[in-house]
């Protein structure tokens, strides 16, 4: 195969970088420093493929640059809201993502957030480390029991289903969901899940609301003060999807007003910045976008990009083509 020129925008797992080097004329980012807009524009002119990650904004300005050579953008991540998909379509550029391989690990992190916030995991850990613990007592650091509680899934895609599996079969949780596009009756039956007809029903009937929808024009900011006000005072919000689905200032306000009991977040509106209001609160469990962060998963994600790019340059249909 002709050695196509590809640019990898961040440092990737070694195993994947080795496969890329063996097949393509590959430029790596050994310093792992994010590329600027002008560097990305230059890259569009001199490479055949661009391999960004979910934190690289691939805007219309970058995509529609003149003298463009890039023909495929192989995104490292299942979410592709960092890429202007309409522009890619209009400019005849193929875009691929990395579904499936991160489903279980992301659902694990959603469960970790759920457990961490309701059982006061990080509070307890700091308590021990700061040597504040004076011993067991009946009223010390009481959290919320999760067994037999209701988990409300906003979106019923792969990650939501993996979480439903863990929560229902592992923790005997009742599953309810809101997803107007989901009609797989067999799966609904498997989890004995109940469909909610609207968002209000989901938010008002859940002990834990876990977000599993993509970030789109329709879902951006959909979790705001009004939505959160519908939740039970004893409930928690969990987000492993995308930060901009939640209006962070509204969440902070709701938490300060004790409208809900707490939140577990892996994603934020303006990553890597985290809202100062959240940092001041004890009843939040905060992680730095770790959903897919296991060696096995990150290698598998990278290999999916590799396979997609390879297929494309062999004139085959890439398995994970999104446009
Ligand atoms: C994705 O793939 O979209 C994740 O957010 C990165 O783990």
């Amino acid at each position: 195969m002709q050695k196509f020129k590809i640019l990898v925008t961040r440092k990737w797992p070694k195993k994947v970088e080795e496969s890329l080097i063996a097949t393509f004329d590959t430029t790596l980012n050994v310093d792992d420093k994010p590329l600027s807009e002008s560097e990305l524009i230059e890259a569009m002119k001199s490479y055949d493929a661009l391999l960004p990650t979910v934190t690289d904004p691939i805007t219309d300005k970058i995509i529609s640059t003149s003298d463009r050579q890039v023909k495929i953008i192989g995104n490292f991540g299942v979410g592709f809201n960092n890429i202007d998909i309409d522009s890619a379509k209009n400019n005849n550029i193929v875009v691929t993502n990395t579904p499936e391989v991160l489903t279980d690990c992301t659902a694990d992190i959603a469960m970790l957030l759920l457990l961490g916030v309701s059982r006061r995991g990080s509070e307890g850990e700091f308590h021990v480390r700061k040597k504040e613990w004076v011993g067991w007592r009946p009223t010390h650091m009481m959290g919320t029991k999760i067994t037999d509680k209701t988990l409300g899934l906003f979106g019923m895609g792969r990650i939501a289903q993996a979480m439903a599996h863990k929560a229902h079969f592992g923790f005997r949780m009742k599953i309810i969901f809101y997803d107007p596009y989901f009609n797989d009756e067999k799966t609904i039956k498997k989890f004995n899940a109940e469909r909610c007809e609207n968002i209000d029903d989901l938010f008002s009937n859940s002990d834990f609301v876990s977000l599993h929808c993509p970030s789109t024009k329709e879902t951006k900011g959909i979790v705001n003060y009004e939505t959160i006000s519908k939740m039970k005072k004893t409930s928690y919000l969990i987000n492993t999807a995308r930060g901009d689905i939640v209006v962070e200032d509204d969440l902070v306000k709701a938490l300060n007003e004790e409208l809900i009991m707490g939140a577990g977040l892996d994603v934020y509106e303006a990553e890597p910045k985290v809202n100062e209001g959240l940092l001041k609160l004890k009843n939040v469990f905060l992680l730095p976008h770790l959903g897919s962060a296991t060696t096995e998963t990150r290698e598998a994600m990278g290999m999916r990009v590799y396979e997609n790019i390879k297929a494309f340059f062999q004139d085959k249909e890439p398995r994970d083509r999104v446009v």
Side-chain angles (χ1 to χ4, degrees):
M1 184 163 65
Q2 179 195 338
K3 279 232 169 184
F4 290 97
K5 282 185 76 185
I6 67 161
L7 176 71
V8 184
T9 66
R10 298 301 295 265
K11 196 168 166 49
W12 284 18
K14 197 162 177 268
K15 181 181 153 193
V16 189
E17 290 190 342
E18 282 169 1
S19 303
L20 291 169
I21 287 167
T23 313
F24 304 106
D25 178 356
T26 307
T27 303
L28 299 175
N29 182 346
V30 281
D31 299 327
D32 203 17
K33 248 181 70 192
L35 299 186
S36 64
E37 185 183 62
S38 56
E39 287 171 317
L40 287 166
I41 289 175
E42 274 316 301
M44 292 303 280
K45 296 179 183 176
S46 38
Y47 289 89
D48 298 304
L50 182 72
L51 276 55
T53 74
V54 296
T55 54
D56 294 310
I58 309 298
T59 57
D60 176 52
K61 187 172 169 197
I62 293 170
I63 293 173
S64 54
T65 184
S66 55
D67 306 327
R68 192 187 52 247
Q69 191 178 324
V70 163
K71 294 159 204 76
I72 177 166
I73 299 175
N75 206 38
F76 188 109
V78 65
F80 46 87
N81 57 312
N82 57 310
I83 301 171
D84 188 326
I85 288 295
D86 290 335
S87 172
K89 231 190 262 173
N90 295 338
N91 286 285
N92 255 328
I93 296 191
V94 171
V95 177
T96 60
N97 70 341
T98 62
E100 293 145 14
V101 286
L102 46 63
T103 300
D104 285 314
C105 284
T106 308
D108 290 347
I109 286 287
M111 282 310 294
L112 173 62
L113 293 175
L114 189 153
L115 285 161
V117 66
S118 62
R119 299 303 309 273
R120 304 174 68 172
S122 67
E123 256 185 283
E125 227 245 347
F126 278 112
H127 194 59
V128 174
R129 285 182 190 276
K130 285 199 214 144
K131 303 200 169 142
E132 287 169 356
W133 186 36
V134 292
W136 190 93
R137 51 210 194 274
T139 55
H140 180 225
M141 231 179 239
M142 294 184 292
T144 301
K145 181 177 176 177
I146 73 163
T147 309
D148 295 325
K149 294 282 166 61
T150 299
L151 171 63
L153 299 165
F154 184 46
M156 197 54 179
R158 285 179 290 258
I159 298 170
Q161 288 173 45
M163 187 181 188
H165 195 278
K166 293 169 208 294
H168 183 65
F169 297 114
F171 294 92
R172 282 204 323 260
M173 294 183 86
K174 176 179 171 183
I175 307 296
I176 63 175
F177 70 97
Y178 172 72
D179 187 336
Y181 307 104
F182 188 76
N183 290 310
D184 177 357
E185 291 304 324
K186 216 170 128 196
T187 301
I188 296 172
K189 213 168 151 194
K190 178 168 85 184
F191 300 129
N192 204 11
E194 272 172 33
R195 177 191 296 281
C196 294
E197 291 311 324
N198 53 54
I199 299 173
D200 285 2
D201 271 357
L202 181 83
F203 278 64
S204 59
N205 288 306
S206 302
D207 297 305
F208 295 86
V209 173
S210 189
L211 307 179
H212 297 284
C213 57
S215 163
T216 62
K217 279 185 210 114
E218 291 74 38
T219 61
K220 253 182 212 164
I222 202 163
V223 181
N224 50 39
Y225 191 77
E226 202 193 321
T227 347
I228 299 170
S229 308
K230 302 275 166 32
M231 292 173 70
K232 298 181 189 178
K233 274 193 177 276
T234 49
S235 70
Y236 297 84
L237 179 72
I238 308 298
N239 191 7
T240 51
R242 280 294 180 264
D244 59 6
I245 298 166
V246 179
V247 180
E248 249 164 40
D249 281 339
D250 286 8
L251 174 61
V252 170
K253 187 168 185 274
L255 286 164
N256 279 316
E257 291 172 2
E258 296 178 16
L259 293 192
I260 59 172
M261 199 78 151
L265 308 173
D266 188 41
V267 287
Y268 306 88
E269 255 181 342
E271 293 177 20
K273 271 197 217 127
V274 177
N275 190 306
E276 285 296 324
L278 286 173
L279 295 175
K280 287 188 194 125
L281 289 164
K282 273 193 172 172
N283 53 342
V284 291
F285 189 90
L286 307 173
L287 293 177
H289 205 147
L290 293 183
S292 61
T294 60
T295 305
E296 296 89 333
T297 295
R298 290 282 164 86
E299 283 181 357
M301 289 166 78
M303 291 312 286
R304 269 305 256 266
V305 182
Y306 169 72
E307 295 299 341
N308 284 323
I309 300 292
K310 201 165 88 174
F312 176 82
F313 286 119
Q314 289 172 340
D315 290 327
K316 294 183 193 146
E317 180 68 8
R319 173 174 175 187
D320 305 313
R321 182 172 178 163
V322 291
V323 288

